[in-house]
Amino acid sequence: MVADLRIEIFPDDLDGAVDFYTRVLGFSLVRDERHLEWAYVALELGRVRVGAARRPSVDAAPRRPPVGVELVLETDDLDAARRRIADEGWPVDDDVQAQPWGLRDFRVLDPSGYYWRLTEHPR
């Protein structure tokens, strides 16, 4: 079985979401329906697809672990990913650190509070 990952998020600010995912994380905008009543965008990075549908603002705190979800992007070059985020001036929630399971990672929050871990591909 071949599987790809697609997640759906529900930000109150689609422009902010598009900016974060394209400028900060390097996704491509592949579908842009922000002009419609039921505003929606789709973004892709490799085989990862993020769909975002505009919804009213909510308390973002429950989106963070341990009660929320940690979304994980594996990368071939963690240091380049970290530099990109620094170059864009985006805040890092937890900076690069070595984990007991043998990988390095760091964490960022998107503008709506979705919690992302960027980590090295396992070798």
Side-chain angles (χ1 to χ4, degrees), residues 23-99:
R23 181 177 59 85
V24 178
L25 292 186
F27 279 73
S28 297
L29 180 63
V30 297
R31 182 173 162 194
D32 189 349
E33 297 174 351
R34 285 178 273 183
H35 63 284
L36 297 177
E37 180 181 355
W38 298 101
Y40 181 84
V41 297
L43 305 119
E44 287 183 352
L45 179 64
R47 293 175 55 156
V48 177
R49 186 173 178 131
V50 174
R54 183 180 298 130
R55 296 293 188 270
S57 183
V58 298
D59 178 10
R63 292 182 173 154
R64 294 184 62 163
V67 294
V69 174
E70 183 177 65
L71 304 166
V72 181
L73 282 176
E74 293 182 344
T75 179
D76 291 329
D77 192 340
L78 187 69
D79 296 318
R82 178 61 182 90
R83 278 192 306 277
R84 178 187 185 117
I85 289 169
D87 290 348
E88 294 300 334
W90 197 264
V92 171
D93 200 56
D94 289 314
D95 215 341
V96 175
Q97 53 191 305
Q99 299 297 342

